[in-house]
Amino acid sequence: MFVFTTKLSKKKAILILIALAVILTAIILLAGRRDQQTQEGTDAPGREVHTEGDIVAYLEHLGWQAARLPLEVQEIIIPREFDHVFEAYNHMQLQAGFDLSDYRGLPALRYSFQIENYPGQAEGVVADVLIVHNRIVGGDIQSVYLDGFIHGLVLRP
């Protein structure tokens, strides 16, 4: 067995505490910077938004030209239990880098914007963007027509 003892003066204790505080602050700042870089990435799932303009800017970042004002803003509740339809919807979200299972049972705002540059379809295309606590957590781009389509929030081809 090895025993180590030392005499710790007030001056040494204060220096150790200051060194620990500096190290802890550096770790926190580096973690915050890495999170911010992730949010500013190309497709940045989970991007923080505060205004409708932020949502439009996100869609434009993906290559979609969206109307400046939403067609609709609706409060929804993400289901606590996913049925087979919502499981399929969440699978589409996973392909786009989102995961709604982290938000089960939470209220969300669904912003719907007209998309004006969908290839081969001049009208009738809408982007729905789901927001929880000022963060984009999912969404889709879809045709409003019966024989339409739906896909996740992905880069425009």
Side-chain angles (χ1 to χ4, degrees), residues 70-91:
L71 297 168
E72 179 181 47
V73 179
Q74 182 179 18
E75 185 170 340
I76 63 168
I77 302 291
I78 297 172
R80 191 172 303 278
E81 298 295 326
F82 292 177
D83 61 13
H84 70 281
V85 173
F86 211 87
E87 281 290 347
Y89 186 77
N90 195 49
H91 180 71

Side-chain angles (χ1 to χ4, degrees), residues 4-152:
F4 178 76
T5 60
T6 184
K7 185 172 184 177
L8 188 63
S9 68
K10 283 186 180 181
K11 186 176 180 181
K12 285 182 184 178
I14 290 173
L15 288 175
I16 291 171
L17 288 174
I18 290 172
L20 288 173
V22 168
I23 291 170
L24 183 60
T25 301
I27 290 171
I28 291 170
L29 290 175
L30 288 174
R33 176 188 280 174
R34 185 175 14 180
D35 184 49
Q36 182 179 11
Q37 288 172 345
T38 300
Q39 290 178 22
E40 293 170 355
T42 304
D43 51 0
R47 175 177 280 193
E48 191 168 321
V49 293
H50 296 283
T51 66
E52 293 169 354
D54 292 342
I55 300 169
V56 170
Y58 176 76
L59 292 170
E60 289 177 348
H61 185 72
L62 294 175
W64 301 110
Q65 185 179 10
R68 296 288 169 218
L69 296 175
L71 297 168
E72 179 181 47
V73 179
Q74 182 179 18
E75 185 170 340
I76 63 168
I77 302 291
I78 297 172
R80 191 172 303 278
E81 298 295 326
F82 292 177
D83 61 13
H84 70 281
V85 173
F86 211 87
E87 281 290 347
Y89 186 77
N90 195 49
H91 180 71
M92 181 181 65
Q93 298 306 309
L94 290 167
Q95 292 174 331
F98 297 103
D99 186 359
L100 294 175
S101 64
D102 295 337
Y103 303 96
R104 292 174 188 257
L106 293 179
L109 289 175
R110 186 189 73 201
Y111 286 82
S112 298
F113 289 90
Q114 182 72 38
I115 295 296
E116 299 167 348
N117 67 335
Y118 199 89
Q121 197 160 345
E123 58 184 36
V125 179
V126 175
D128 288 331
V129 181
L130 302 175
I131 309 292
V132 175
H133 302 303
N134 292 328
R135 186 167 298 280
I136 297 173
V137 300
D140 59 75
I141 298 184
Q142 60 180 289
S143 170
V144 298
Y145 301 118
L146 288 177
D147 62 344
F149 58 85
I150 186 169
H151 60 75

